[in-house]
Amino acid sequence: MKKILTIILFSAIGGVFTLGAYKLFVEKPQIVIEKTEKPLLTTVPTNFTSAISASIENTDFTVAAEKSLNSVVHVKNTSFKTILDPYAEFFYGQGNGIKKYSQIGMGSGVIISSDGYIVTNNHVIKNATEIEVTLNNKKVYKAKLIGTDPMNDIALLKVDAKNLPYITFGDSNSLKVGEWVLAVGNPYNLTSTVTAGIVSAKGRDLDGNKNIDSFIQTDAAVNPGNSGGALVNTRGELIGINTAISSRTGSFIGYSFAVPSNIAKKVVEDIMEYGNVQKAVLGVFGGELNNEAAKNLDINYTEGYYISGVTDNSGAKKAGLKAKDIIIRLDNVKISTFADLKGFLRTKRPNDVVAVTFLRDGVEKTVNVSLTKNLKETVSTLGLTLKNLNKSELKKLDISNGVKIEAISNRELSHYGVKKGYVIISINNENVTSVDEVSDLIENRQNGEVLRIEMLNLNGELERYIFR
């Protein structure tokens, strides 16, 4: 009997050690957060109610899905590149070392007009040699690139077709946190996929993002291939272009981000009307308020945009805005952060009039400000003063895009003969259409990234310069 008990006891202990070893060496913990945070107690209500499930069941997504599915397309980006194989060149003779290869990328797009205009992300079609669009009914079209806006990660395509199903733009400013939304796209080449979630946050500024800082954050599942797809509300209106996820694995872990529809709509309209994106300037500089900034400034407000200075000859200056004013609303849209301010201005054009509500000495005031255009800018990192070119100047130079050099203080460029009047055509293979784009591309480059600048000289010849 004792022998049996001893065997049972050792078996039990062995089982515990085996289970412990399995837990320790076999099971891998699932990483679900990106940043280390202080552990918080999880509280779970102990009562039971069917109210939540009833609310979900009563929310009908079928109308929005039906409106969206046929208007979201699969986008195939093919880029052909040529490389030189020095070994093949050495062994088989000159001309035998040239190799061509293709690289294929996949994404999504949204039809926004019956005659074939499609909006997608710039990164979906970047460096594309050929763009192919597949509709939900399996029809395939070759797409033409109409224009891009790298800063907002938006691109406009066109296919030669008529009577296509399309989505109408909704008002992303009217979105509310907690509102139901659908993400429609082609994740992992799975066409016509719909996922549901809620708006988790607005005006989100992502760490590591260099340009867009006014994302809509949702918990609708978005994966690789969803980029450029539609984020729609329950009425089937386009309220965002799905663009990014926050992940350590490359797949969805609970956070997805979309460019607001108001920004995308404005970019598309600018490209169609002007050929480039019109950037509006309020004419103030400063920073967003928080608890620390409020303490340093000795004020009682922890939200809003604090004006530390006003630009001469700007709309803000003419309207009477001053240093120490705190902007709290623009056209009745709440401004809590810099992302709110920048995101709102990206939906506006020069000469638009905006109602600016601000606090001055604790008193709320409102003035109308006429936005202006950033016509000239000095890029200090390059020692250049640049000027936008209008349509007639572009036509005269027989180019479709470019930014003119008005003054130069860069000794290296001057040494190589770069002069006032040269036109910057592209930077790192990105065509530039405004001084803002040049500034953004230069200032947002990664540390150590090579800078390749293509210019048109005074004789109309292309010259290329490389900086490290």
Side-chain angles (χ1 to χ4, degrees):
M1 181 66 178
K2 289 182 179 179
K3 187 175 182 181
I4 294 173
L5 289 174
T6 303
I7 292 172
I8 293 173
L9 179 61
F10 276 102
S11 298
I13 294 172
V16 171
F17 277 109
T18 301
L19 178 61
Y22 175 80
K23 290 286 186 180
L24 184 61
F25 298 110
V26 179
E27 286 192 346
K28 295 181 180 179
Q30 184 179 5
I31 300 174
V32 295
I33 59 175
E34 292 192 38
K35 296 180 181 178
T36 303
E37 297 181 356
K38 294 181 180 178
L40 299 174
L41 292 175
T42 302
T43 58
V44 181
T46 55
N47 66 309
F48 173 79
T49 175
S50 61
I52 294 177
S53 60
S55 174
I56 293 173
E57 289 173 3
N58 289 334
T59 303
D60 186 5
F61 301 117
T62 59
V63 174
E66 187 176 353
K67 286 183 177 181
S68 310
L69 276 173
N70 293 321
S71 303
V72 175
V73 301
H74 180 271
V75 178
K76 179 182 176 182
N77 161 10
T78 304
S79 58
F80 296 98
K81 297 184 179 180
T82 302
I83 60 172
L84 179 64
D85 184 347
Y87 295 101
E89 189 88 1
F90 177 79
F91 287 110
Y92 301 108
Q94 187 174 3
N96 292 304
I98 298 175
K99 292 184 177 181
K100 294 184 179 181
Y101 70 96
S102 63
Q103 185 174 4
I104 297 175
M106 305 289 185
S108 304
V110 185
I111 304 173
I112 57 170
S113 70
S114 62
D115 58 346
Y117 281 99
I118 298 169
V119 63
T120 184
N121 284 137
N122 178 63
H123 74 260
V124 169
I125 52 81
K126 187 176 181 180
N127 300 324
T129 306
E130 292 181 0
I131 303 173
E132 189 177 87
V133 167
T134 304
L135 275 58
N136 194 36
N137 62 8
K138 307 298 189 299
K139 284 188 177 180
V140 180
Y141 295 91
K142 293 292 184 183
K144 178 184 178 182
L145 180 61
I146 303 300
T148 64
D149 178 19
M151 186 166 61
N152 289 306
D153 201 3
I154 294 294
L156 182 64
L157 311 177
K158 178 73 168 65
V159 296
D160 187 12
K162 295 181 179 180
N163 300 319
L164 295 179
Y166 65 94
I167 300 180
T168 58
F169 281 100
D171 180 10
S172 54
N173 283 342
S174 66
L175 267 183
K176 297 188 181 300
V177 173
E179 183 176 337
W180 280 104
V181 289
L182 299 182
V184 188
N186 305 281
Y188 298 116
N189 263 355
L190 299 172
T191 58
S192 307
T193 299
V194 179
T195 57
I198 62 168
V199 176
S200 306
K202 294 174 62 178
R204 183 67 78 198
D205 186 5
L206 300 183
D207 291 337
N209 171 64
K210 298 297 183 181
N211 295 314
I212 316 161
D213 43 20
S214 189
F215 284 105
I216 299 169
Q217 179 183 329
T218 81
D219 64 356
V222 168
N223 279 293
N226 271 112
S227 285
L231 186 71
V232 301
N233 57 24
T234 54
R235 296 182 296 277
E237 297 170 332
L238 183 66
I239 46 88
I241 301 297
N242 296 315
T243 300
I245 58 175
S246 181
S247 173
R248 296 188 67 176
T249 65
S251 298
F252 178 75
I253 61 169
Y255 307 98
S256 58
F257 305 91
V259 178
S261 61
N262 287 9
I263 292 178
K265 181 174 183 286
K266 187 258 181 183
V267 168
V268 167
E269 290 173 348
D270 280 359
I271 290 174
M272 293 175 70
E273 185 173 352
Y274 304 103
N276 56 51
V277 178
Q278 306 291 296
K279 186 176 179 180
V281 176
L282 186 62
V284 298
F285 51 92
E288 68 179 63
L289 289 174
N290 53 36
N291 189 63
E292 185 178 353
K295 285 182 179 179
N296 292 335
L297 294 169
D298 194 24
I299 57 177
N300 296 322
Y301 303 100
T302 56
E303 286 188 313
Y305 184 83
Y306 182 85
I307 299 176
S308 57
V310 182
T311 306
D312 290 337
N313 300 318
S314 65
K317 185 80 169 181
K318 294 174 182 177
L321 288 174
K322 299 178 180 179
K324 299 184 180 180
D325 289 343
I326 301 170
I327 298 174
I328 57 174
R329 289 192 301 277
L330 293 174
D331 280 351
N332 221 27
V333 175
K334 185 179 179 182
I335 303 298
S336 298
T337 65
F338 178 63
D340 292 335
L341 176 72
K342 202 166 184 180
F344 178 88
L345 290 175
R346 287 186 177 180
T347 67
K348 299 296 179 182
R349 297 183 182 85
N351 299 320
D352 283 351
V353 177
V354 176
V356 179
T357 302
F358 61 98
L359 297 172
R360 178 177 294 170
D361 299 326
V363 179
E364 186 174 307
K365 299 174 180 289
T366 300
V367 295
N368 290 327
V369 176
S370 180
L371 303 179
T372 56
K373 188 174 184 178
N374 193 13
L375 295 175
K376 189 181 291 187
E377 182 171 324
T378 299
V379 183
S380 57
T381 52
L382 270 187
L384 299 174
T385 299
L386 307 173
K387 174 183 175 295
N388 286 336
L389 294 173
N390 57 39
K391 286 187 176 182
S392 62
E393 290 172 317
L394 291 171
K395 186 176 180 180
K396 185 177 180 180
L397 293 169
D398 195 25
I399 53 177
S400 59
N401 65 278
V403 175
K404 188 177 181 180
I405 297 176
E406 287 285 284
I408 180 169
S409 59
N410 186 307
R411 292 182 180 180
E412 188 174 358
L413 282 174
S414 298
H415 173 74
Y416 286 107
V418 176
K419 300 181 178 66
K420 175 183 176 180
Y422 274 49
V423 176
I424 296 177
I425 302 296
S426 68
I427 296 176
N428 288 351
N429 297 320
E430 293 274 2
N431 288 341
V432 295
T433 60
S434 68
V435 294
D436 294 311
E437 286 183 8
V438 174
S439 181
D440 288 331
L441 285 169
I442 292 172
E443 293 176 5
N444 293 325
R445 62 176 172 152
Q446 302 295 326
N447 291 333
E449 182 182 359
V450 174
L451 200 63
R452 296 178 174 86
I453 303 178
E454 188 175 63
M455 299 186 193
L456 194 71
N457 64 24
L458 299 179
N459 297 321
E461 301 166 333
L462 283 177
E463 298 181 357
R464 294 174 178 86
Y465 299 88
I466 299 177
F467 294 87
R468 293 189 180 274

